[in-house]
Amino acid sequence: MRRLVAGALLALAGCGVDDGGQSIETDGEVSGTLTVFAAASLTDVFTDLGDQLTAEHPQLDVQFNFAGSSALATQVAQGAPADVLASADEEQLDAVADLVAGDPAVFAENTLVIAVPAGNPADVRGLADLADPGRSIALCAAEVPCGVAAARVFDAAGLTPAPDTLEQDVRAALTKVQLGEVDAALVYATDVAAAGSAVEGIDVPEAAGVVNRYPLMVLERAPNPLAAKAFVDLVRSDAGRQALTDAGFRLP
């Protein structure tokens, strides 16, 4: 069940939509289409926040593109129309540095844990089991933030992972666990929380020093900059911060 978050938005001058679909000033209302590109690990909390924003502004249509952060940064750099970008790490900013309006702000943090199917049928106990070729393991691909973080965690532990599959975003790795297709995956703590009783989480002590910091930014070429500001303001508001905390994110 989706969690609806409550809270007031900062007062904003409203907008309408011109022939090109962009915002214009009218009647104190945020409207049109808002397109948010966001890391897959933000799927649940951002969807809920989008519902809250459209409840506040019924003439606004919020569209999300959830995927691996590296893929999103590439799409934006190649000209994909988007208003807001939220990445799962700061390294992806290099690809879009010239396309950001203002300074990106880190709004959340995340760490990795091991996810196993309910009941832990393969008796996975810790990170060393993810280096065991006898178990089936899902990890994120090396180019996405959860894959970068995983490599650092394994390095810290002095282990060489033995993945059976490398996924393009963390939710794809989590899905492998939920379907029982793998014995374990290294995913974010928030993904285990979102999965509920379908999976169990196992803490990884070596992950404590590997923290993913999530930047949020309005894009310079945003088709709907006013709506983009409204969404960013909501994420940074007390209500948005509470929603992130409830979803298992750490606040910077």
Side-chain angles (χ1 to χ4, degrees):
M1 180 180 296
R2 290 182 177 176
R3 297 182 302 277
L4 292 178
V5 295
L9 292 173
L10 296 176
L12 296 171
C15 63
V17 180
D18 64 13
D19 290 339
Q22 298 189 10
S23 304
I24 57 175
E25 299 286 339
T26 178
D27 299 331
E29 182 57 69
V30 175
S31 63
T33 299
L34 169 67
T35 303
V36 178
F37 280 27
S41 51
L42 293 163
T43 298
D44 299 282
V45 65
F46 266 26
T47 299
D48 287 348
L49 289 170
D51 288 345
Q52 172 65 17
L53 192 63
T54 55
E56 295 279 349
H57 302 284
Q59 297 181 52
L60 180 66
D61 177 28
V62 181
Q63 299 291 325
F64 289 102
N65 177 18
F66 294 111
S69 297
S70 58
L72 296 174
T74 298
Q75 292 169 23
V76 169
Q78 293 177 344
D83 298 293
V84 174
L85 174 63
S87 170
D89 72 6
E90 295 176 286
E91 294 179 17
Q92 306 304 321
L93 294 178
D94 291 342
V96 296
D98 296 334
L99 305 176
V100 177
D103 296 323
V106 172
F107 68 99
E109 296 178 343
N110 219 341
T111 56
L112 295 177
V113 300
I114 297 170
V116 299
N120 193 7
D123 194 30
V124 174
R125 298 295 180 181
L127 197 64
D129 292 322
L130 276 63
D132 178 5
R135 289 186 168 90
S136 56
I137 303 300
L139 297 178
C140 292
E143 65 270 18
V144 296
C146 56
V148 174
R152 291 171 179 165
V153 170
F154 281 109
D155 285 345
L159 294 169
T160 300
D164 295 271
T165 180
L166 296 172
E167 303 299 327
Q168 290 302 309
D169 66 65
V170 71
R171 284 301 175 93
L174 179 69
T175 298
K176 293 284 187 181
V177 178
Q178 291 173 303
L179 295 176
E181 296 179 359
V182 297
D183 296 324
L186 199 57
V187 301
Y188 295 123
T190 53
D191 296 300
V192 171
S197 60
V199 305
E200 298 176 14
I202 300 171
D203 289 334
V204 179
E206 297 87 349
V210 181
V211 179
N212 283 61
R213 290 163 50 84
Y214 286 56
L216 179 67
M217 62 214 81
V218 175
L219 296 170
E220 186 71 37
R221 299 180 304 210
N224 196 340
L226 195 62
K229 182 181 185 302
F231 183 78
V232 169
D233 285 346
L234 177 58
V235 173
R236 295 175 179 172
S237 72
D238 289 343
R241 288 168 62 85
Q242 186 62 58
L244 290 162
T245 300
D246 291 343
F249 288 92
R250 294 167 27 171
L251 299 179

